Structures are given as C-alpha cells and as structure tokens.
Amino acid sequence: MVISSVIGDTLILVGSCGYSAIKLPKIMVVFIQHLAAADLLFSLVRVLPGAISLTANNDVVLGHVVCYPAFFLSWWSSGAGCFLISALAAAKFLLVKYH
C-alpha cells in the first residue's frame, strides 16, 4: 500500500506540475495536487512507520521521536484531505452550474 500510494501520488504531482498532463480547470488541478500531497504525507508518516512496526513484531523501532509528530501530521493530513475532497466536489458543482 505504501509503494502504490507513493508512486501514484508522485505521478500525480509530477504530471500536473511538471508536464501539465491533467487537462482540467486550474482550480480542480490545484485541489487534486493538494489532495495528492496530503495523501503522500499520510502514507509517509502513518502507514510507513506502522508497516515497519508490524514487520518488527510490534516493537517500537522508530521510538517516540517519530511517534508523536507522525500522530499529529496524520491527523492534520486526514483533515486536510476531507476538506479538499469537499472543496473539490463544491468546485465541480459550481463549474457545472455556472460554466
């Protein structure tokens, strides 16, 4: 899951920033970029340390130095992802209605 998330989110960010591969209105592309960044952050700070811990038979390998910031950043990125999905839906509705 970590590998697919990192590869997918990186492809979205590179494709939309570097090559303009996504042909959508600019606001939709910005929401998709921010959503990919929040998902990438969640994957790196919450899923990856959890996978490392499970591999080490539930031992705390990374310690409290990683645990507390990872908890804070995972809540932040999850909340940001929810708001970005809501904003993406609202922007899509407004584009369909007023465009």
Side-chain angles (χ1 to χ4, degrees):
M1 181 167 165
V2 176
I3 294 170
S4 65
S5 179
V6 169
I7 290 172
D9 292 332
T10 305
L11 284 175
I12 289 171
L13 290 173
V14 168
S16 62
C17 293
Y19 298 106
S20 300
I22 301 175
K23 303 295 182 203
L24 290 171
K26 184 67 176 164
I27 190 70
M28 303 290 273
V29 174
V30 170
F31 284 142
I32 291 170
Q33 289 170 345
H34 283 81
L35 188 60
D39 185 45
L40 187 63
L41 179 68
F42 183 81
S43 295
L44 293 177
V45 301
R46 195 66 175 170
V47 178
L48 185 63
I52 292 171
S53 176
L54 285 175
T55 305
N57 294 326
N58 291 329
D59 291 336
V60 180
V61 177
L62 301 174
H64 296 291
V65 175
V66 175
C67 182
Y68 295 127
F71 181 75
F72 171 74
L73 288 172
S74 68
W75 275 98
W76 177 81
S77 64
S78 298
C82 291
F83 284 124
L84 285 167
I85 289 171
S86 300
L88 188 64
K92 186 187 254 185
F93 170 73
L94 292 173
L95 283 172
V96 167
K97 184 168 174 105
Y98 296 111
H99 192 266

